[in-house]
Amino acid sequence: ARTAGASFLVDFPESPRLPDMILWLGKFDFNRGQFAEARRFFMGFVTRWPGNGWADAALVWAARSAYGEADFTGAVETVARLVREYPQSLRRVEARLVQAEALMELARFDEAVLVLDQVVGQAPDSEWGGQARLRKGDCLFALGADNTLRYQEAMDVYRDLLQQASLTPTVVLQLHYKVGRCLEKM
């Protein structure tokens, strides 16, 4: 399928389906762990068709690809581009979560907390909001090494999450463990 898709690019360079094929090839490569190639397709899509309705999605996928390559700075910058160029994008929340995860990998936990607060503010009751709260707790825990009050803040986040009815048993166990780690550090 990948070979046929690549042939399509050469055989039909003026096809109205070309943008769809480029996105498909990017996703195909992403799913196979070929992050550099996937990122090239996604960024090429945005460059060639910035007004396309999928351009913001291509930037999210490009940020995920950069993250997959361990280019965390690239992931942060790609999301910043999405927020700047597509301020009304519905994918902004998802992208900001990717950005926060990249900031965490760069040990920029205080910046990640700010981004995660924005995600929670924009989508408090969504899956993204729940993930953002959990990541925020983890950032606060990491910041506790420099300020022990952060352990209490992290524990409060974890305990708040435990009040949700929709948690899987695995997540409940993780949260209890994290509360215990906070108590240990305090």
Side-chain angles (χ1 to χ4, degrees):
R2 172 74 168 74
T3 304
S7 294
F8 183 90
L9 300 181
V10 174
D11 296 340
F12 304 102
E14 300 302 319
S15 170
R17 295 286 175 219
L18 191 64
D20 297 333
M21 184 54 67
I22 288 177
L23 279 180
W24 182 85
L25 285 166
K27 289 178 185 179
F28 185 92
D29 287 342
F30 181 89
N31 290 332
R32 298 204 32 148
Q34 310 265 330
F35 299 118
E37 192 66 16
R39 188 174 176 189
R40 187 178 65 77
F41 278 116
F42 295 131
M43 295 307 290
F45 181 93
V46 174
T47 300
R48 192 159 176 191
W49 300 286
N52 186 294
W54 289 97
D56 58 341
L59 280 173
V60 174
W61 281 103
R64 288 188 179 284
S65 298
Y67 187 94
E69 288 181 89
D71 178 7
F72 305 118
T73 301
V76 169
E77 291 169 356
T78 302
V79 172
R81 178 178 174 184
L82 178 136
V83 171
R84 184 177 60 253
E85 294 179 13
Y86 302 94
Q88 302 304 316
S89 172
L90 298 176
R91 295 172 178 91
R92 207 174 55 242
V93 172
E94 175 189 359
R96 297 291 274 177
L97 194 55
V98 172
Q99 185 179 40
E101 290 173 355
L103 288 167
M104 291 171 69
E105 291 292 334
L106 293 167
R108 293 164 49 186
F109 299 108
D110 48 351
E111 292 174 64
V113 167
L114 295 174
V115 171
L116 293 165
D117 280 341
Q118 291 174 354
V119 170
V120 171
Q122 292 171 353
D125 299 323
S126 72
E127 176 186 345
W128 305 121
Q131 288 182 27
R133 283 191 288 282
L134 181 59
R135 304 279 193 298
K136 178 181 177 181
D138 295 344
C139 287
L140 292 169
F141 182 84
L143 290 167
D146 295 328
N147 179 353
T148 56
L149 294 176
R150 297 295 192 171
Y151 293 126
Q152 180 65 48
E153 292 177 46
M155 187 170 61
D156 292 343
V157 169
Y158 298 141
R159 285 183 170 162
D160 183 51
L161 286 168
L162 281 165
Q163 301 306 311
Q164 296 178 3
S166 62
L167 300 176
T168 65
T170 302
V171 172
V172 170
L173 289 174
Q174 288 176 2
L175 289 169
H176 281 298
Y177 173 79
K178 290 177 181 199
V179 167
R181 289 286 291 152
C182 291
L183 290 168
E184 176 186 41
K185 291 291 187 176
M186 291 169 29

